[in-house]
Amino acid sequence: MTASDNAISTELLDWYDRHARDLPWRAAPGQPAPDPYRVWLSEIMLQQTTVAAVKPYFAKFLHIWPTVEALAAAPDDQIMAAWAGLGYYSRARNLAKAARVVAELGAFPETEAELRKLPGVGDYTAAAIAAIAFGERAVVVDANVERVVSRLFAIEEPLPKSRKVIRTHTDAITPECRAGDFAQAMMDLGSSVCTSRSPQCLLCPLSRHCEARMAEPEHFPFKAPKKEKPIRAGQAYWIEREQSVWLVTREGTGMLGGMRALPDDGWSAKGDGSSIPPFDGEWAEAGSVSHSFTHFSLDLSVMVTRTEQEPAIKGEWWPLDRLEQAGLPTLFAKAARRVLAG
DNA sequence: GAATCGTGGTT
DNA sequence: TAACCAAGATT
C-alpha cells in the first residue's frame, strides 16, 4: 500500500464515520459486528437488488425466522413464497440450502474461503460477510466498488475485462483494519455520491485522489455494449372452480423455478409459447400483461376457463381469498390482478 | 466466457 | 419513455 492508497482508505473511513447510512442489517461504525445471520441474509437479498426493495423482505424474514436454525427448519415452499416479488429466485433456493448447511455445521463459517462454499455465496458475498461479520481483511468488489475504483484510477479498459485490474487496485486500497467498514463505505459512496449518472464530486471525500475527476467521471466505468432484448409471447391459464384457482409449482432451476405459478404454454427466454391450453374447453382471453425480465420481455396473454374437474396437470386448488399468500412472482401476480379486475 | 436469471426505481 | 441500473451467482 502506497502513501496515497493509505490516504484513500483513511479519508474514506473518516467520511464513513460521519456519513454512514443507518441500515437495519448494519452496525454503526466502530460498533461490534452484527449477527452473521443478519449479514448473510442481507447480502443475499442485496445481490442485484436495491436497498429500498430489500428492507421490507429483510424485516419479514427476520420476523418469521429469527435465526438460521429457524430458517433451516422451514419448508421450501414457505421460503419461496416469502421471497416472492424480490426476484432472482435461485437466491431463495440457495438460501434454504445454505441455511441447512449452516445449521448442520452448528454455526456460520468464519473465513472467506469457507463462506465461499455455501450455495449462493460467490466471490463478492464471501468477502463481504468475512469482512463485515468477522473482521477479516477481505477484498470486497461489487458494482459500486467497480465504479468508484474505475474512476479513482481512470481505468479505460471496459468491464467485464477490467475486473482483474479493478480487484488489484481495490486490494491496494483496502486497509488491514476495518475492512468491513471500508467495504461498506465504498458502497455508501457509490450509492450516494459516486453514482452512475451525475456523480456528486463536490461532496466526495476522495475527489482529490480521483484521476477521472478532471475528465468526465460519469463516463467510467467503460462497458461492453449490451445485447438487445427480444420480445416473447406466451399464454398463462386461469382455471377456476368455485372460489379457487389451479396453481402449479414450477420445476427446476430455470425461470421462476420453485415458485407457485399459473399454468402456462411453455414460453421461455428461448422462444414463444405453444398457445396450446392444458386441456380442451371453453377458453376466453381475459386480457394480457407485459413484463420485462433481464434478457427478454414477455407479452403474456391470460386465458380463462371454468371447470368442475381436476386438471390433469400437477397442482393445487388455491382459494381466491388467500391468493396473496400463494407467493406468486410478479409476472403471475400481474396476470391474476388482470383476471380479477375483470 | 457468455448466458441465464427478476424486479422496481431513476433518468 | 425507453434505457439503464442495483451489495452477483451459477452453469
PDB file of all heavy atoms in Angstrom, chain A residues 137-173:
ATOM      1  N   ARG A 137      -9.720  -9.274   6.816  1.00  0.00           N
ATOM      2  CA  ARG A 137      -9.346  -8.355   5.743  1.00  0.00           C
ATOM      3  C   ARG A 137      -9.595  -9.045   4.402  1.00  0.00           C
ATOM      4  O   ARG A 137      -8.767  -9.810   3.913  1.00  0.00           O
ATOM      5  CB  ARG A 137      -7.884  -7.940   5.830  1.00  0.00           C
ATOM      6  CG  ARG A 137      -7.537  -6.900   4.753  1.00  0.00           C
ATOM      7  CD  ARG A 137      -6.057  -6.781   4.505  1.00  0.00           C
ATOM      8  NE  ARG A 137      -5.787  -5.857   3.410  1.00  0.00           N
ATOM      9  CZ  ARG A 137      -5.837  -6.173   2.120  1.00  0.00           C
ATOM     10  NH1 ARG A 137      -6.161  -7.395   1.744  1.00  0.00           N
ATOM     11  NH2 ARG A 137      -5.585  -5.269   1.202  1.00  0.00           N
ATOM     12  N   ALA A 138     -10.740  -8.785   3.814  1.00  0.00           N
ATOM     13  CA  ALA A 138     -11.101  -9.373   2.530  1.00  0.00           C
ATOM     14  C   ALA A 138     -11.290  -8.250   1.512  1.00  0.00           C
ATOM     15  O   ALA A 138     -11.643  -7.128   1.875  1.00  0.00           O
ATOM     16  CB  ALA A 138     -12.381 -10.189   2.670  1.00  0.00           C
ATOM     17  N   VAL A 139     -11.040  -8.589   0.255  1.00  0.00           N
ATOM     18  CA  VAL A 139     -11.173  -7.594  -0.821  1.00  0.00           C
ATOM     19  C   VAL A 139     -12.580  -7.702  -1.393  1.00  0.00           C
ATOM     20  O   VAL A 139     -12.925  -8.679  -2.049  1.00  0.00           O
ATOM     21  CB  VAL A 139     -10.120  -7.823  -1.907  1.00  0.00           C
ATOM     22  CG1 VAL A 139     -10.263  -6.785  -3.010  1.00  0.00           C
ATOM     23  CG2 VAL A 139      -8.721  -7.778  -1.302  1.00  0.00           C
ATOM     24  N   VAL A 140     -13.373  -6.691  -1.122  1.00  0.00           N
ATOM     25  CA  VAL A 140     -14.797  -6.728  -1.448  1.00  0.00           C
ATOM     26  C   VAL A 140     -15.059  -5.901  -2.704  1.00  0.00           C
ATOM     27  O   VAL A 140     -14.866  -4.684  -2.706  1.00  0.00           O
ATOM     28  CB  VAL A 140     -15.624  -6.175  -0.270  1.00  0.00           C
ATOM     29  CG1 VAL A 140     -17.106  -6.231  -0.599  1.00  0.00           C
ATOM     30  CG2 VAL A 140     -15.316  -6.949   1.011  1.00  0.00           C
ATOM     31  N   VAL A 141     -15.470  -6.574  -3.761  1.00  0.00           N
ATOM     32  CA  VAL A 141     -15.704  -5.868  -5.031  1.00  0.00           C
ATOM     33  C   VAL A 141     -17.122  -6.117  -5.528  1.00  0.00           C
ATOM     34  O   VAL A 141     -17.455  -7.221  -5.951  1.00  0.00           O
ATOM     35  CB  VAL A 141     -14.701  -6.303  -6.121  1.00  0.00           C
ATOM     36  CG1 VAL A 141     -14.912  -5.470  -7.381  1.00  0.00           C
ATOM     37  CG2 VAL A 141     -13.272  -6.200  -5.623  1.00  0.00           C
ATOM     38  N   ASP A 142     -17.931  -5.102  -5.465  1.00  0.00           N
ATOM     39  CA  ASP A 142     -19.269  -5.164  -6.051  1.00  0.00           C
ATOM     40  C   ASP A 142     -19.350  -4.094  -7.140  1.00  0.00           C
ATOM     41  O   ASP A 142     -18.350  -3.476  -7.491  1.00  0.00           O
ATOM     42  CB  ASP A 142     -20.339  -4.937  -4.979  1.00  0.00           C
ATOM     43  CG  ASP A 142     -20.432  -3.480  -4.592  1.00  0.00           C
ATOM     44  OD1 ASP A 142     -19.376  -2.807  -4.557  1.00  0.00           O
ATOM     45  OD2 ASP A 142     -21.543  -2.981  -4.366  1.00  0.00           O
ATOM     46  N   ALA A 143     -20.555  -3.864  -7.655  1.00  0.00           N
ATOM     47  CA  ALA A 143     -20.706  -2.898  -8.750  1.00  0.00           C
ATOM     48  C   ALA A 143     -20.353  -1.474  -8.301  1.00  0.00           C
ATOM     49  O   ALA A 143     -19.835  -0.677  -9.088  1.00  0.00           O
ATOM     50  CB  ALA A 143     -22.127  -2.943  -9.304  1.00  0.00           C
ATOM     51  N   ASN A 144     -20.628  -1.150  -7.043  1.00  0.00           N
ATOM     52  CA  ASN A 144     -20.254   0.168  -6.532  1.00  0.00           C
ATOM     53  C   ASN A 144     -18.740   0.337  -6.532  1.00  0.00           C
ATOM     54  O   ASN A 144     -18.217   1.358  -6.978  1.00  0.00           O
ATOM     55  CB  ASN A 144     -20.772   0.359  -5.105  1.00  0.00           C
ATOM     56  CG  ASN A 144     -22.265   0.570  -5.054  1.00  0.00           C
ATOM     57  OD1 ASN A 144     -22.787   1.505  -5.637  1.00  0.00           O
ATOM     58  ND2 ASN A 144     -22.955  -0.328  -4.365  1.00  0.00           N
ATOM     59  N   VAL A 145     -18.069  -0.688  -6.012  1.00  0.00           N
ATOM     60  CA  VAL A 145     -16.612  -0.632  -5.938  1.00  0.00           C
ATOM     61  C   VAL A 145     -16.021  -0.569  -7.349  1.00  0.00           C
ATOM     62  O   VAL A 145     -15.070   0.181  -7.601  1.00  0.00           O
ATOM     63  CB  VAL A 145     -16.068  -1.847  -5.158  1.00  0.00           C
ATOM     64  CG1 VAL A 145     -14.542  -1.867  -5.191  1.00  0.00           C
ATOM     65  CG2 VAL A 145     -16.565  -1.812  -3.716  1.00  0.00           C
ATOM     66  N   GLU A 146     -16.585  -1.317  -8.250  1.00  0.00           N
ATOM     67  CA  GLU A 146     -16.102  -1.275  -9.636  1.00  0.00           C
ATOM     68  C   GLU A 146     -16.192   0.143 -10.205  1.00  0.00           C
ATOM     69  O   GLU A 146     -15.277   0.611 -10.881  1.00  0.00           O
ATOM     70  CB  GLU A 146     -16.918  -2.239 -10.512  1.00  0.00           C
ATOM     71  CG  GLU A 146     -16.586  -3.704 -10.279  1.00  0.00           C
ATOM     72  CD  GLU A 146     -17.440  -4.631 -11.114  1.00  0.00           C
ATOM     73  OE1 GLU A 146     -18.394  -4.165 -11.765  1.00  0.00           O
ATOM     74  OE2 GLU A 146     -17.148  -5.847 -11.114  1.00  0.00           O
ATOM     75  N   ARG A 147     -17.283   0.808  -9.912  1.00  0.00           N
ATOM     76  CA  ARG A 147     -17.463   2.166 -10.432  1.00  0.00           C
ATOM     77  C   ARG A 147     -16.517   3.140  -9.750  1.00  0.00           C
ATOM     78  O   ARG A 147     -15.842   3.936 -10.416  1.00  0.00           O
ATOM     79  CB  ARG A 147     -18.919   2.603 -10.245  1.00  0.00           C
ATOM     80  CG  ARG A 147     -19.223   3.958 -10.854  1.00  0.00           C
ATOM     81  CD  ARG A 147     -20.708   4.251 -10.837  1.00  0.00           C
ATOM     82  NE  ARG A 147     -21.280   4.224  -9.498  1.00  0.00           N
ATOM     83  CZ  ARG A 147     -22.019   3.248  -8.999  1.00  0.00           C
ATOM     84  NH1 ARG A 147     -22.311   2.209  -9.740  1.00  0.00           N
ATOM     85  NH2 ARG A 147     -22.472   3.319  -7.768  1.00  0.00           N
ATOM     86  N   VAL A 148     -16.439   3.092  -8.427  1.00  0.00           N
ATOM     87  CA  VAL A 148     -15.588   4.024  -7.683  1.00  0.00           C
ATOM     88  C   VAL A 148     -14.121   3.843  -8.081  1.00  0.00           C
ATOM     89  O   VAL A 148     -13.408   4.815  -8.356  1.00  0.00           O
ATOM     90  CB  VAL A 148     -15.759   3.824  -6.165  1.00  0.00           C
ATOM     91  CG1 VAL A 148     -14.724   4.623  -5.393  1.00  0.00           C
ATOM     92  CG2 VAL A 148     -17.173   4.211  -5.731  1.00  0.00           C
ATOM     93  N   VAL A 149     -13.681   2.587  -8.138  1.00  0.00           N
ATOM     94  CA  VAL A 149     -12.275   2.310  -8.447  1.00  0.00           C
ATOM     95  C   VAL A 149     -11.964   2.644  -9.907  1.00  0.00           C
ATOM     96  O   VAL A 149     -10.891   3.174 -10.215  1.00  0.00           O
ATOM     97  CB  VAL A 149     -11.939   0.841  -8.118  1.00  0.00           C
ATOM     98  CG1 VAL A 149     -10.576   0.444  -8.671  1.00  0.00           C
ATOM     99  CG2 VAL A 149     -11.971   0.626  -6.604  1.00  0.00           C
ATOM    100  N   SER A 150     -12.899   2.371 -10.790  1.00  0.00           N
ATOM    101  CA  SER A 150     -12.692   2.722 -12.199  1.00  0.00           C
ATOM    102  C   SER A 150     -12.440   4.215 -12.357  1.00  0.00           C
ATOM    103  O   SER A 150     -11.630   4.642 -13.179  1.00  0.00           O
ATOM    104  CB  SER A 150     -13.916   2.336 -13.044  1.00  0.00           C
ATOM    105  OG  SER A 150     -14.070   0.948 -13.103  1.00  0.00           O
ATOM    106  N   ARG A 151     -13.142   5.000 -11.553  1.00  0.00           N
ATOM    107  CA  ARG A 151     -12.987   6.454 -11.616  1.00  0.00           C
ATOM    108  C   ARG A 151     -11.720   6.905 -10.900  1.00  0.00           C
ATOM    109  O   ARG A 151     -10.972   7.739 -11.425  1.00  0.00           O
ATOM    110  CB  ARG A 151     -14.228   7.129 -11.020  1.00  0.00           C
ATOM    111  CG  ARG A 151     -15.441   6.951 -11.918  1.00  0.00           C
ATOM    112  CD  ARG A 151     -16.725   7.439 -11.276  1.00  0.00           C
ATOM    113  NE  ARG A 151     -17.841   7.247 -12.200  1.00  0.00           N
ATOM    114  CZ  ARG A 151     -19.116   7.422 -11.883  1.00  0.00           C
ATOM    115  NH1 ARG A 151     -19.451   7.805 -10.656  1.00  0.00           N
ATOM    116  NH2 ARG A 151     -20.059   7.224 -12.786  1.00  0.00           N
ATOM    117  N   LEU A 152     -11.493   6.357  -9.707  1.00  0.00           N
ATOM    118  CA  LEU A 152     -10.300   6.743  -8.940  1.00  0.00           C
ATOM    119  C   LEU A 152      -9.038   6.583  -9.772  1.00  0.00           C
ATOM    120  O   LEU A 152      -8.143   7.438  -9.727  1.00  0.00           O
ATOM    121  CB  LEU A 152     -10.175   5.869  -7.679  1.00  0.00           C
ATOM    122  CG  LEU A 152     -10.820   6.336  -6.390  1.00  0.00           C
ATOM    123  CD1 LEU A 152     -10.606   5.287  -5.312  1.00  0.00           C
ATOM    124  CD2 LEU A 152     -10.243   7.682  -5.954  1.00  0.00           C
ATOM    125  N   PHE A 153      -8.977   5.484 -10.541  1.00  0.00           N
ATOM    126  CA  PHE A 153      -7.760   5.184 -11.295  1.00  0.00           C
ATOM    127  C   PHE A 153      -7.963   5.339 -12.800  1.00  0.00           C
ATOM    128  O   PHE A 153      -7.117   4.908 -13.588  1.00  0.00           O
ATOM    129  CB  PHE A 153      -7.279   3.773 -10.938  1.00  0.00           C
ATOM    130  CG  PHE A 153      -6.964   3.615  -9.466  1.00  0.00           C
ATOM    131  CD1 PHE A 153      -7.889   3.078  -8.590  1.00  0.00           C
ATOM    132  CD2 PHE A 153      -5.740   4.058  -8.948  1.00  0.00           C
ATOM    133  CE1 PHE A 153      -7.623   2.957  -7.237  1.00  0.00           C
ATOM    134  CE2 PHE A 153      -5.456   3.941  -7.590  1.00  0.00           C
ATOM    135  CZ  PHE A 153      -6.401   3.382  -6.723  1.00  0.00           C
ATOM    136  N   ALA A 154      -9.060   5.974 -13.184  1.00  0.00           N
ATOM    137  CA  ALA A 154      -9.353   6.257 -14.595  1.00  0.00           C
ATOM    138  C   ALA A 154      -9.063   5.046 -15.480  1.00  0.00           C
ATOM    139  O   ALA A 154      -8.342   5.131 -16.486  1.00  0.00           O
ATOM    140  CB  ALA A 154      -8.554   7.473 -15.067  1.00  0.00           C
ATOM    141  N   ILE A 155      -9.666   3.929 -15.130  1.00  0.00           N
ATOM    142  CA  ILE A 155      -9.450   2.694 -15.872  1.00  0.00           C
ATOM    143  C   ILE A 155     -10.270   2.719 -17.157  1.00  0.00           C
ATOM    144  O   ILE A 155     -11.499   2.809 -17.114  1.00  0.00           O
ATOM    145  CB  ILE A 155      -9.830   1.477 -14.996  1.00  0.00           C
ATOM    146  CG1 ILE A 155      -8.877   1.401 -13.799  1.00  0.00           C
ATOM    147  CG2 ILE A 155      -9.793   0.194 -15.813  1.00  0.00           C
ATOM    148  CD1 ILE A 155      -9.323   0.432 -12.724  1.00  0.00           C
ATOM    149  N   GLU A 156      -9.583   2.641 -18.269  1.00  0.00           N
ATOM    150  CA  GLU A 156     -10.277   2.787 -19.553  1.00  0.00           C
ATOM    151  C   GLU A 156     -10.629   1.456 -20.192  1.00  0.00           C
ATOM    152  O   GLU A 156     -11.395   1.404 -21.146  1.00  0.00           O
ATOM    153  CB  GLU A 156      -9.436   3.642 -20.518  1.00  0.00           C
ATOM    154  CG  GLU A 156      -9.280   5.068 -20.015  1.00  0.00           C
ATOM    155  CD  GLU A 156      -8.675   6.004 -21.042  1.00  0.00           C
ATOM    156  OE1 GLU A 156      -8.361   5.521 -22.148  1.00  0.00           O
ATOM    157  OE2 GLU A 156      -8.518   7.199 -20.729  1.00  0.00           O
ATOM    158  N   GLU A 157     -10.048   0.389 -19.659  1.00  0.00           N
ATOM    159  CA  GLU A 157     -10.447  -0.921 -20.167  1.00  0.00           C
ATOM    160  C   GLU A 157     -11.903  -1.170 -19.761  1.00  0.00           C
ATOM    161  O   GLU A 157     -12.279  -0.917 -18.621  1.00  0.00           O
ATOM    162  CB  GLU A 157      -9.555  -2.008 -19.578  1.00  0.00           C
ATOM    163  CG  GLU A 157      -9.852  -3.398 -20.121  1.00  0.00           C
ATOM    164  CD  GLU A 157      -8.947  -4.467 -19.501  1.00  0.00           C
ATOM    165  OE1 GLU A 157      -8.516  -4.307 -18.343  1.00  0.00           O
ATOM    166  OE2 GLU A 157      -8.690  -5.452 -20.205  1.00  0.00           O
ATOM    167  N   PRO A 158     -12.738  -1.628 -20.682  1.00  0.00           N
ATOM    168  CA  PRO A 158     -14.152  -1.815 -20.348  1.00  0.00           C
ATOM    169  C   PRO A 158     -14.402  -3.046 -19.471  1.00  0.00           C
ATOM    170  O   PRO A 158     -13.662  -4.027 -19.525  1.00  0.00           O
ATOM    171  CB  PRO A 158     -14.817  -1.974 -21.719  1.00  0.00           C
ATOM    172  CG  PRO A 158     -13.739  -2.472 -22.621  1.00  0.00           C
ATOM    173  CD  PRO A 158     -12.451  -1.887 -22.103  1.00  0.00           C
ATOM    174  N   LEU A 159     -15.484  -2.955 -18.681  1.00  0.00           N
ATOM    175  CA  LEU A 159     -15.986  -4.138 -17.985  1.00  0.00           C
ATOM    176  C   LEU A 159     -16.551  -5.106 -19.024  1.00  0.00           C
ATOM    177  O   LEU A 159     -17.003  -4.665 -20.057  1.00  0.00           O
ATOM    178  CB  LEU A 159     -17.097  -3.730 -17.009  1.00  0.00           C
ATOM    179  CG  LEU A 159     -16.664  -3.008 -15.736  1.00  0.00           C
ATOM    180  CD1 LEU A 159     -17.873  -2.433 -15.010  1.00  0.00           C
ATOM    181  CD2 LEU A 159     -15.906  -3.963 -14.820  1.00  0.00           C
ATOM    182  N   PRO A 160     -16.498  -6.420 -18.800  1.00  0.00           N
ATOM    183  CA  PRO A 160     -16.009  -7.072 -17.580  1.00  0.00           C
ATOM    184  C   PRO A 160     -14.515  -7.396 -17.605  1.00  0.00           C
ATOM    185  O   PRO A 160     -14.001  -7.902 -16.622  1.00  0.00           O
ATOM    186  CB  PRO A 160     -16.828  -8.353 -17.553  1.00  0.00           C
ATOM    187  CG  PRO A 160     -17.060  -8.679 -18.990  1.00  0.00           C
ATOM    188  CD  PRO A 160     -17.169  -7.368 -19.700  1.00  0.00           C
ATOM    189  N   LYS A 161     -13.814  -7.067 -18.714  1.00  0.00           N
ATOM    190  CA  LYS A 161     -12.397  -7.434 -18.769  1.00  0.00           C
ATOM    191  C   LYS A 161     -11.572  -6.721 -17.709  1.00  0.00           C
ATOM    192  O   LYS A 161     -10.520  -7.194 -17.296  1.00  0.00           O
ATOM    193  CB  LYS A 161     -11.828  -7.127 -20.162  1.00  0.00           C
ATOM    194  CG  LYS A 161     -12.288  -8.089 -21.240  1.00  0.00           C
ATOM    195  CD  LYS A 161     -11.501  -7.906 -22.525  1.00  0.00           C
ATOM    196  CE  LYS A 161     -11.846  -9.017 -23.513  1.00  0.00           C
ATOM    197  NZ  LYS A 161     -11.109  -8.883 -24.789  1.00  0.00           N
ATOM    198  N   SER A 162     -12.044  -5.558 -17.265  1.00  0.00           N
ATOM    199  CA  SER A 162     -11.278  -4.766 -16.307  1.00  0.00           C
ATOM    200  C   SER A 162     -11.376  -5.298 -14.883  1.00  0.00           C
ATOM    201  O   SER A 162     -10.756  -4.756 -13.974  1.00  0.00           O
ATOM    202  CB  SER A 162     -11.767  -3.319 -16.355  1.00  0.00           C
ATOM    203  OG  SER A 162     -13.152  -3.255 -16.147  1.00  0.00           O
ATOM    204  N   ARG A 163     -12.157  -6.349 -14.674  1.00  0.00           N
ATOM    205  CA  ARG A 163     -12.373  -6.848 -13.310  1.00  0.00           C
ATOM    206  C   ARG A 163     -11.062  -7.161 -12.594  1.00  0.00           C
ATOM    207  O   ARG A 163     -10.906  -6.901 -11.402  1.00  0.00           O
ATOM    208  CB  ARG A 163     -13.244  -8.122 -13.332  1.00  0.00           C
ATOM    209  CG  ARG A 163     -14.661  -7.879 -13.799  1.00  0.00           C
ATOM    210  CD  ARG A 163     -15.687  -8.196 -12.709  1.00  0.00           C
ATOM    211  NE  ARG A 163     -16.956  -7.517 -12.976  1.00  0.00           N
ATOM    212  CZ  ARG A 163     -17.938  -8.000 -13.731  1.00  0.00           C
ATOM    213  NH1 ARG A 163     -17.820  -9.184 -14.291  1.00  0.00           N
ATOM    214  NH2 ARG A 163     -19.037  -7.304 -13.914  1.00  0.00           N
ATOM    215  N   LYS A 164     -10.119  -7.729 -13.338  1.00  0.00           N
ATOM    216  CA  LYS A 164      -8.861  -8.143 -12.723  1.00  0.00           C
ATOM    217  C   LYS A 164      -8.084  -6.939 -12.192  1.00  0.00           C
ATOM    218  O   LYS A 164      -7.640  -6.932 -11.042  1.00  0.00           O
ATOM    219  CB  LYS A 164      -8.019  -8.914 -13.746  1.00  0.00           C
ATOM    220  CG  LYS A 164      -6.897  -9.725 -13.145  1.00  0.00           C
ATOM    221  CD  LYS A 164      -6.380 -10.732 -14.166  1.00  0.00           C
ATOM    222  CE  LYS A 164      -5.360 -11.681 -13.544  1.00  0.00           C
ATOM    223  NZ  LYS A 164      -4.958 -12.745 -14.514  1.00  0.00           N
ATOM    224  N   VAL A 165      -7.940  -5.930 -13.010  1.00  0.00           N
ATOM    225  CA  VAL A 165      -7.170  -4.761 -12.584  1.00  0.00           C
ATOM    226  C   VAL A 165      -7.925  -3.974 -11.512  1.00  0.00           C
ATOM    227  O   VAL A 165      -7.322  -3.389 -10.596  1.00  0.00           O
ATOM    228  CB  VAL A 165      -6.799  -3.866 -13.790  1.00  0.00           C
ATOM    229  CG1 VAL A 165      -8.026  -3.325 -14.478  1.00  0.00           C
ATOM    230  CG2 VAL A 165      -5.875  -2.738 -13.360  1.00  0.00           C
ATOM    231  N   ILE A 166      -9.241  -3.985 -11.595  1.00  0.00           N
ATOM    232  CA  ILE A 166     -10.040  -3.333 -10.549  1.00  0.00           C
ATOM    233  C   ILE A 166      -9.814  -4.017  -9.203  1.00  0.00           C
ATOM    234  O   ILE A 166      -9.634  -3.364  -8.171  1.00  0.00           O
ATOM    235  CB  ILE A 166     -11.541  -3.354 -10.910  1.00  0.00           C
ATOM    236  CG1 ILE A 166     -11.824  -2.372 -12.049  1.00  0.00           C
ATOM    237  CG2 ILE A 166     -12.401  -3.019  -9.693  1.00  0.00           C
ATOM    238  CD1 ILE A 166     -13.231  -2.447 -12.607  1.00  0.00           C
ATOM    239  N   ARG A 167      -9.782  -5.335  -9.239  1.00  0.00           N
ATOM    240  CA  ARG A 167      -9.552  -6.060  -7.996  1.00  0.00           C
ATOM    241  C   ARG A 167      -8.174  -5.752  -7.415  1.00  0.00           C
ATOM    242  O   ARG A 167      -8.004  -5.594  -6.204  1.00  0.00           O
ATOM    243  CB  ARG A 167      -9.699  -7.575  -8.225  1.00  0.00           C
ATOM    244  CG  ARG A 167      -9.723  -8.340  -6.919  1.00  0.00           C
ATOM    245  CD  ARG A 167      -9.496  -9.824  -7.067  1.00  0.00           C
ATOM    246  NE  ARG A 167      -8.895 -10.322  -5.851  1.00  0.00           N
ATOM    247  CZ  ARG A 167      -9.569 -10.588  -4.735  1.00  0.00           C
ATOM    248  NH1 ARG A 167     -10.879 -10.419  -4.704  1.00  0.00           N
ATOM    249  NH2 ARG A 167      -8.952 -11.010  -3.663  1.00  0.00           N
ATOM    250  N   THR A 168      -7.174  -5.655  -8.287  1.00  0.00           N
ATOM    251  CA  THR A 168      -5.818  -5.334  -7.838  1.00  0.00           C
ATOM    252  C   THR A 168      -5.779  -3.961  -7.155  1.00  0.00           C
ATOM    253  O   THR A 168      -5.188  -3.798  -6.080  1.00  0.00           O
ATOM    254  CB  THR A 168      -4.845  -5.347  -9.028  1.00  0.00           C
ATOM    255  OG1 THR A 168      -4.867  -6.650  -9.612  1.00  0.00           O
ATOM    256  CG2 THR A 168      -3.432  -5.002  -8.582  1.00  0.00           C
ATOM    257  N   HIS A 169      -6.431  -2.985  -7.764  1.00  0.00           N
ATOM    258  CA  HIS A 169      -6.475  -1.646  -7.159  1.00  0.00           C
ATOM    259  C   HIS A 169      -7.258  -1.663  -5.839  1.00  0.00           C
ATOM    260  O   HIS A 169      -6.872  -0.998  -4.879  1.00  0.00           O
ATOM    261  CB  HIS A 169      -7.118  -0.654  -8.124  1.00  0.00           C
ATOM    262  CG  HIS A 169      -6.197  -0.165  -9.201  1.00  0.00           C
ATOM    263  ND1 HIS A 169      -5.088   0.602  -8.945  1.00  0.00           N
ATOM    264  CD2 HIS A 169      -6.219  -0.349 -10.540  1.00  0.00           C
ATOM    265  CE1 HIS A 169      -4.469   0.886 -10.087  1.00  0.00           C
ATOM    266  NE2 HIS A 169      -5.134   0.307 -11.081  1.00  0.00           N
ATOM    267  N   THR A 170      -8.366  -2.410  -5.817  1.00  0.00           N
ATOM    268  CA  THR A 170      -9.171  -2.474  -4.597  1.00  0.00           C
ATOM    269  C   THR A 170      -8.370  -3.102  -3.465  1.00  0.00           C
ATOM    270  O   THR A 170      -8.408  -2.639  -2.320  1.00  0.00           O
ATOM    271  CB  THR A 170     -10.459  -3.285  -4.831  1.00  0.00           C
ATOM    272  OG1 THR A 170     -11.153  -2.752  -5.970  1.00  0.00           O
ATOM    273  CG2 THR A 170     -11.371  -3.220  -3.617  1.00  0.00           C
ATOM    274  N   ASP A 171      -7.622  -4.143  -3.800  1.00  0.00           N
ATOM    275  CA  ASP A 171      -6.751  -4.789  -2.818  1.00  0.00           C
ATOM    276  C   ASP A 171      -5.765  -3.770  -2.250  1.00  0.00           C
ATOM    277  O   ASP A 171      -5.538  -3.695  -1.040  1.00  0.00           O
ATOM    278  CB  ASP A 171      -6.010  -5.956  -3.493  1.00  0.00           C
ATOM    279  CG  ASP A 171      -5.350  -6.887  -2.486  1.00  0.00           C
ATOM    280  OD1 ASP A 171      -5.332  -6.566  -1.278  1.00  0.00           O
ATOM    281  OD2 ASP A 171      -4.848  -7.944  -2.907  1.00  0.00           O
ATOM    282  N   ALA A 172      -5.215  -2.945  -3.139  1.00  0.00           N
ATOM    283  CA  ALA A 172      -4.193  -1.974  -2.716  1.00  0.00           C
ATOM    284  C   ALA A 172      -4.735  -0.921  -1.764  1.00  0.00           C
ATOM    285  O   ALA A 172      -4.003  -0.434  -0.896  1.00  0.00           O
ATOM    286  CB  ALA A 172      -3.582  -1.299  -3.942  1.00  0.00           C
ATOM    287  N   ILE A 173      -5.997  -0.560  -1.906  1.00  0.00           N
ATOM    288  CA  ILE A 173      -6.536   0.496  -1.042  1.00  0.00           C
ATOM    289  C   ILE A 173      -7.337  -0.053   0.149  1.00  0.00           C
ATOM    290  O   ILE A 173      -7.823   0.719   0.967  1.00  0.00           O
ATOM    291  CB  ILE A 173      -7.425   1.482  -1.836  1.00  0.00           C
ATOM    292  CG1 ILE A 173      -8.629   0.771  -2.444  1.00  0.00           C
ATOM    293  CG2 ILE A 173      -6.603   2.187  -2.920  1.00  0.00           C
ATOM    294  CD1 ILE A 173      -9.601   1.723  -3.147  1.00  0.00           C
TER     295      ILE A 173
END
